[in-house]
Amino acid sequence: GRTLLAHFARFGAGEELLRRSLAQAPKAPAAHSNLGNLLMLKGEPREAEVAFRNALSLDRSAAGAHFNLGLALKAQQRLDEATHALREALRIRPDFVEALGQLGATLLAAGQAEAAAGARRYNTTRWIGGIRQARSPQRASTDHPCGRLRRAR
């Protein structure tokens, strides 16, 4: 995914290819998100924001699109909006560790140190809890990376 997008971003072919695929399938949320990710890699957060909002207009339940929208807004220093988007990603998918980490960083950047510390503590607790569960294959979480690794052995 991202490796291919990085390659396209460097050589300029990706955006044209993604825009052509969007012309053929304009109702594909993943295509809009992929374009947004490419635009973020190119350092164009305003344009990426539009792509992520287009993805969300097609699928409001896409936690990844909310997360990526939060990153695009954060890159534009629109921290209140970024916080809202990241919280929405977490509402949809409470185990979204990356969103929780970014929420903490965004709250800290917005000057909300106490709320940021709470998000970081909660994130650490969830991560350590997942590792403890993964030590017992029958109790391992199917959504936690450590649980998947344990069962794969």
Side-chain angles (χ1 to χ4, degrees), residues 127-140:
W127 181 251
I128 291 171
I131 291 171
R132 284 188 187 133
Q133 278 188 333
R135 288 184 183 153
S136 169
Q138 61 273 27
R139 291 182 46 208

Side-chain angles (χ1 to χ4, degrees), residues 95-115:
D95 65 337
F96 200 159
V97 175
E98 295 88 352
L100 191 55
Q102 283 296 327
L103 176 60
T106 304
L107 289 167
L108 188 59
Q112 299 178 35
E114 192 171 316

Side-chain angles (χ1 to χ4, degrees), residues 16-48:
E16 181 184 334
L17 181 64
L18 285 170
R19 289 190 188 280
R20 271 192 277 153
S21 72
L22 273 169
Q24 292 177 358
K27 296 201 183 288
H32 290 280
S33 286
N34 286 337
L35 177 60
N37 287 330
L38 177 71
L39 293 167
M40 285 295 289
L41 287 169
K42 289 177 62 179
E44 300 175 5
R46 283 190 186 112
E47 292 80 6

Side-chain angles (χ1 to χ4, degrees), residues 1-152:
R2 285 202 182 262
T3 303
L4 182 60
L5 288 175
H7 174 75
F8 281 156
R10 268 184 262 144
F11 297 105
E15 185 175 351
E16 181 184 334
L17 181 64
L18 285 170
R19 289 190 188 280
R20 271 192 277 153
S21 72
L22 273 169
Q24 292 177 358
K27 296 201 183 288
H32 290 280
S33 286
N34 286 337
L35 177 60
N37 287 330
L38 177 71
L39 293 167
M40 285 295 289
L41 287 169
K42 289 177 62 179
E44 300 175 5
R46 283 190 186 112
E47 292 80 6
E49 175 191 351
V50 172
F52 295 132
R53 289 191 189 279
N54 286 339
L56 288 168
S57 73
L58 298 167
D59 182 4
R60 297 293 305 163
S61 67
H66 285 285
F67 171 75
N68 288 324
L69 174 62
L71 296 182
L73 293 166
K74 183 180 175 194
Q76 298 174 63
Q77 296 302 308
R78 292 164 53 193
L79 302 178
D80 288 341
E81 292 173 84
T83 298
H84 177 75
L86 293 166
R87 287 184 194 278
E88 185 62 14
L90 285 164
R91 185 192 66 74
I92 295 165
R93 202 173 111 205
D95 65 337
F96 200 159
V97 175
E98 295 88 352
L100 191 55
Q102 283 296 327
L103 176 60
T106 304
L107 289 167
L108 188 59
Q112 299 178 35
E114 192 171 316
R120 296 277 176 161
R121 275 192 303 275
Y122 182 72
N123 195 9
T124 302
T125 302
R126 287 186 62 84
W127 181 251
I128 291 171
I131 291 171
R132 284 188 187 133
Q133 278 188 333
R135 288 184 183 153
S136 169
Q138 61 273 27
R139 291 182 46 208
S141 168
T142 58
D143 295 330
H144 196 280
C146 292
R148 287 192 299 272
L149 286 174
R150 179 63 123 179
R151 279 188 305 286

